[in-house]
């Protein structure tokens, strides 16, 4: 296994797995230990095919929706139209924090309203289609994810509404 | 889960067809990007699944049920939001743990609050990315307005699921 992918979080979970595995073996015996192991293998087999297909799809999306396209969508527009655009853009922004935060920095510098940035970040985190398809559906199934998406739809607007008075007090972006 | 797999496959096919006829589309670039994202998971995912499977045996299901179960109501939603905010790691390590809670009898509303808190508050991500990139004031303001969101999502999910 490539060592360069072993980050602190992986080490933490490795220690957790070893510790919990030992505890299961001592407290519940070898039968329970094997049971847990086969449960992990089962989940792996369930998730892996969806994950591989979803990552390939995510690869396509990232080549088709470049960052500057999202920047152009957003611009410095505000109001309901700006918020809706920010929410849609957030939901479509693929990739992890490496992709989203530099974009927000660029938006704030170019004069986008704080509430629009908040709507964008909220949409990216709770409505992110990429994450929903790659991660949430394999683990939780379609029904659960559909319900979660439905109740998450108003969240970017709610956050922006709460952010409006704060944005006025901040006067200009802090960064 | 078969329907989930078929959904993803359909979307993948649509993306491949669009990329095929799009001037910027490239099968090779897409495959390279997908592989780049898959590589770190080859170590992380099995380890996280193992840790979650062992924890599932150790965590008392009764305690999870009474804390986060369907009957726990909005105090359960609140507790789940708190736990979600402090749940570490990306989806690859966090979601196996959420599945453990799911199997142990946590309610839908409580789990949606937990996942929403994990995605919108994510204190580990804030410390690692947001604070250095956006600065303390912007980060603090965003966190402040995001605090009620998980409770809202969980409560709404509870109302709809009923």
């Amino acid at each position: 296994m490539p060592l360069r992918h072993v980050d602190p979080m992986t080490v933490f979970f490795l220690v957790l797995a070893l510790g919990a595995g030992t505890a299961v073996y001592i407290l519940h015996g070898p039968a329970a230990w094997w049971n847990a192991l086969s449960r992990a293998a089962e989940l792996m087999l369930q998730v892996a095919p969806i994950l591989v297909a979803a990552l390939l799809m995510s690869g396509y999306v990232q080549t088709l929706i470049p960052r500057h396209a999202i920047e152009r969508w957003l611009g410095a527009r505000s109001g309901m139209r700006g918020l809706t655009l920010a929410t849609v853009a957030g939901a479509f922004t693929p990739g992890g924090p490496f992709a989203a935060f530099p974009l927000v920095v660029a938006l704030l510098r170019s004069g986008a309203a704080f509430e629009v940035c908040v709507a964008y970040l909220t949409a990216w985190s709770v409505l992110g289609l990429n994450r929903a398809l790659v991660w949430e559906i394999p683990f939780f199934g379609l029904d659960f994810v559909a319900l979660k998406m439905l109740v998450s739809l108003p969240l970017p607007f709610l956050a922006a509404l709460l952010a409006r008075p704060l944005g006025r007090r901040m006067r200009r972006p802090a960064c | 889960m078969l329907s989930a797999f078929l959904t993803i496959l359909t979307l993948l096919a649509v993306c491949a067809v669009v990329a095929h006829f799009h001037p910027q589309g490239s099968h090779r670039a897409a495959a390279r990007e997908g592989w780049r994202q898959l590589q770190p998971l080859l170590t992380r995912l099995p380890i996280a699944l193992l840790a979650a499977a062992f924890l599932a045996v150790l965590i008392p299901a009764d305690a999870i049920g009474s804390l986060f179960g369907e009957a726990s109501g909005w105090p359960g939603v609140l507790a789940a939001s708190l736990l979600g905010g402090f749940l570490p790691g990306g989806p690859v390590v966090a979601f196996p743990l959420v599945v453990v809670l799911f199997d142990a009898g946590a309610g839908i509303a409580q789990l949606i609050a937990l996942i929403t808190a994990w995605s919108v508050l994510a204190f580990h991500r804030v410390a690692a990315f947001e604070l250095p990139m956006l600065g303390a004031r912007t980060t603090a303001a965003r966190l402040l307005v995001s605090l009620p969101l998980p409770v809202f999502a969980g409560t709404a999910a509870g109302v709809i699921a009923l």
Side-chain angles (χ1 to χ4, degrees), chain B residues 101-116:
Chain B
L101 297 182
F102 195 69
D103 291 343
I108 303 268
Q110 287 74 13
L111 281 178
I112 285 184
L114 191 147
I115 298 173
T116 306

Side-chain angles (χ1 to χ4, degrees), chain A residues 68-84:
Chain A
H68 57 83
I70 295 175
E71 267 180 64
R72 206 173 46 224
W73 276 7
L74 281 172
R77 272 178 289 236
S78 197
M80 200 57 190
R81 196 176 128 82
L83 289 183
T84 308

Side-chain angles (χ1 to χ4, degrees), chain A residues 1 39 60 62 125 131 137, chain B residues 4 27 33 37 43 103 119:
Chain A
M1 283 189 224
R39 171 91 184 99
Y60 274 116
Q62 284 180 42
S125 52
R131 181 192 284 158
I137 288 180
Chain B
H27 297 297
E33 182 59 33
Q37 288 185 56
T43 45
D103 291 343
S119 33

Side-chain angles (χ1 to χ4, degrees), chain A residues 54-133:
Chain A
L55 284 174
L56 187 57
M57 184 206 65
S58 161
Y60 274 116
V61 171
Q62 284 180 42
T63 55
L64 290 172
I65 311 180
R67 211 180 92 187
H68 57 83
I70 295 175
E71 267 180 64
R72 206 173 46 224
W73 276 7
L74 281 172
R77 272 178 289 236
S78 197
M80 200 57 190
R81 196 176 128 82
L83 289 183
T84 308
L85 269 174
T87 301
V88 173
F92 277 96
T93 301
F98 311 96
F101 285 116
L103 185 73
V104 171
V105 172
L107 282 176
L108 280 173
R109 287 216 179 107
S110 65
F114 176 64
E115 70 214 58
V116 172
C117 293
V118 165
Y120 171 79
L121 273 179
T122 307
W124 167 74
S125 52
V126 300
L127 290 171
L129 287 173
N130 192 59
R131 181 192 284 158
L133 293 170

